Amino acid sequence: MKSIWQADMTYNSLNSFVPEHLPVMQEKAFEFLQCKPGGTYVDATLGMGGHAWSILEKIQPGGLLIGLDRDKESLEKARLHLLPYSDSTRLLHENFKNLPLVLNNLGLGLIDGILVDLGVSSFQLLMPERGFSFQSDAMLDMRMDRTQYMTAANLVNELPEERLADIIYRYGEERYSRRIAAAIVAARDTARITRCSQLAAIVSRAIGGRGSRPIHPATRTFQALRIAVNQELEGLEEFFVNTLPFLKPGGRLVAISFHSLEDRIVKRAFRMLAGHCVCDRPADLCSCPRSERARVLTPRPLTAGDAELAVNPRARSAKLRALERNS
Ligand SMILES: C[S@@+](CC[C@H](N)C(=O)[O-])C[C@H]1O[C@@H](n2cnc3c(N)ncnc32)[C@H](O)[C@@H]1O
């Protein structure tokens, strides 16, 4: 069956204006997931259902795909996209950090594989009204889950200067974080900061011509706020640790991350599950679990090849790691 990504019509013709989202590192992800007919798989970050479609193709007949996304709009787009396979899917509006609870409630027993493709989708980034882009004049929102209260506007207008600077430094790895936080606080004393373009201009002015940057001056600040609004890094390590017991022995977990902060967490969690020390303490003080519950299949993270980069620049920063549960 043809996915609408592969078909001659575009997603847009089905579904009003929707930016295209090409699944990242699809071939490598499937090499490791080893989806088989009749298997049960989780796509923990369903997005527009690009990876999910290919999983569904591979698990026929008799397979089941459980798809989660915290973004209701994405979930509905994916539901439409995956309609031809509706009998083989369960799609849920959920944070993947609740996956153990979801799997317990579904009572399906152990599963064959899990895919986590972290971060935001092109759909979210490019829909101006979602407020993720410094290039838009939309409301400063950045919530993946629009049922949540806190937006980026709340953070920039309400956090103390020091906390804002910490967020911009930690999640954006921005060396001018203190200068930027001070500029935000000065600006909000005059008028509430409500629009993406307003914040982008404040950050650009604060940085001025400092540093020679190939990227927009507001890139790192926007990334930091997005991570903070969506609490993207909190509980990520626990997710891997708590989810592993739901895999069958030999079951596989594949994670794709898009920035070094995420990749570091994935790497640490995988090393811990494989029984390696992940603390910096001397051996006699180390209390890492050291039980070999899994095997790391990717000693180094894999990256996208030139052919993929030529058609999907978003794959540039992708890093893929895979793990197999031990018997
Ligand atoms: C990079 S996109 C996934 C794209 C998808 N693999 C595809 O092929 O279309 C990431 C998706 O994960 C979702 N997401 C991010 N963090 C999440 C979380 N903690 N729980 C559930 N969904 C999450 C985002 O809303 C977004 O739709």
Side-chain angles (χ1 to χ4, degrees):
M1 201 181 308
K2 270 191 164 186
S3 153
I4 51 177
W5 300 126
Q6 300 157 324
D8 294 336
M9 60 184 172
T10 65
Y11 205 68
N12 302 1
S13 64
L14 251 189
N15 216 0
S16 70
F17 172 69
V18 177
E20 190 180 29
H21 179 98
L22 296 173
V24 168
M25 297 189 73
Q26 171 130 276
E27 267 179 41
K28 284 182 180 139
F30 290 122
E31 216 176 284
F32 286 105
L33 262 186
Q34 294 188 332
C35 297
K36 37 185 185 299
T40 303
Y41 292 83
V42 171
D43 184 342
T45 49
L46 193 63
M48 309 304 287
H51 285 113
W53 179 278
S54 303
I55 296 178
L56 281 158
E57 277 183 332
K58 292 177 189 351
I59 64 177
Q60 304 303 322
L64 177 65
L65 174 85
I66 298 142
L68 310 183
D69 206 292
R70 69 198 297 194
D71 181 338
K72 258 190 182 165
E73 285 169 65
S74 297
L75 192 76
E76 289 320 311
K77 304 282 179 218
R79 198 184 297 284
L80 207 69
H81 180 197
L82 303 176
L83 212 52
Y85 287 116
S86 57
D87 290 345
S88 312
T89 53
R90 307 258 180 97
L91 305 185
L92 302 160
H93 179 227
E94 268 292 351
N95 190 318
F96 64 68
K97 290 165 196 161
N98 298 326
L99 183 59
L101 197 69
V102 168
L103 292 174
N104 261 332
N105 288 343
L106 290 173
L108 298 167
L110 299 183
I111 59 173
D112 295 278
I114 301 171
L115 174 67
V116 199
D117 177 17
L118 294 161
V120 275
S121 65
S122 314
F123 166 67
Q124 291 163 325
L125 274 176
L126 299 177
M127 294 294 275
E129 68 269 26
R130 300 301 299 263
F132 282 100
S133 169
F134 45 75
Q135 281 158 338
S136 94
D137 190 37
M139 299 301 281
L140 197 50
D141 188 319
M142 301 198 197
R143 289 170 299 171
M144 291 187 200
D145 180 351
R146 294 219 269 185
T147 65
Q148 140 188 336
Y149 168 75
M150 189 176 61
T151 64
N154 290 122
L155 294 187
V156 297
N157 288 292
E158 288 154 35
L159 284 183
E161 181 176 330
E162 202 174 321
R163 178 87 185 97
L164 257 183
D166 285 348
I167 287 176
I168 297 169
Y169 181 71
R170 201 164 143 223
Y171 295 153
E173 300 182 291
E174 170 60 73
R175 60 201 283 225
Y176 301 113
S177 57
R178 308 240 157 256
R179 178 181 287 274
I180 293 168
I184 290 174
V185 169
R188 79 190 188 192
D189 279 349
T190 316
R192 195 173 162 83
I193 303 165
T194 54
R195 307 227 156 238
C196 296
S197 53
Q198 208 182 341
L199 179 64
I202 293 166
V203 175
S204 299
R205 273 199 304 273
I207 294 183
R210 279 173 196 79
S212 56
R213 298 176 162 232
I215 54 172
H216 188 284
T219 306
R220 293 177 190 278
T221 302
F222 271 65
Q223 171 184 303
L225 289 170
R226 192 202 89 205
I227 292 175
V229 166
N230 297 294
Q231 303 188 311
E232 290 176 38
L233 305 183
E234 280 89 344
L236 189 54
E237 185 171 303
E238 291 78 2
F239 161 74
F240 293 112
V241 174
N242 298 337
T243 301
L244 187 81
F246 288 87
L247 280 177
K248 289 178 184 165
R252 300 232 169 146
L253 209 164
V254 175
I256 305 172
S257 58
F258 288 87
H259 53 77
S260 55
L261 299 168
E262 262 169 6
D263 182 57
R264 246 174 264 156
I265 296 176
V266 178
K267 179 181 171 188
R268 192 186 133 95
F270 281 19
R271 281 181 55 78
M272 191 182 350
L273 291 169
H276 296 290
C277 165
V278 289
C279 71
D280 298 325
R281 298 190 200 105
D284 53 335
L285 295 177
C286 166
S287 57
C288 295
R290 299 295 192 118
S291 59
E292 289 176 42
R293 287 180 277 166
R295 183 165 69 96
V296 175
L297 303 172
T298 45
R300 293 184 199 302
L302 304 180
T303 52
D306 290 343
E308 178 169 3
L309 293 177
V311 291
N312 191 6
R314 215 182 79 80
R316 204 180 39 234
S317 45
K319 291 207 163 74
L320 182 148
R321 293 183 187 268
L323 185 81
E324 181 181 277
R325 184 176 172 182
N326 286 342
S327 318

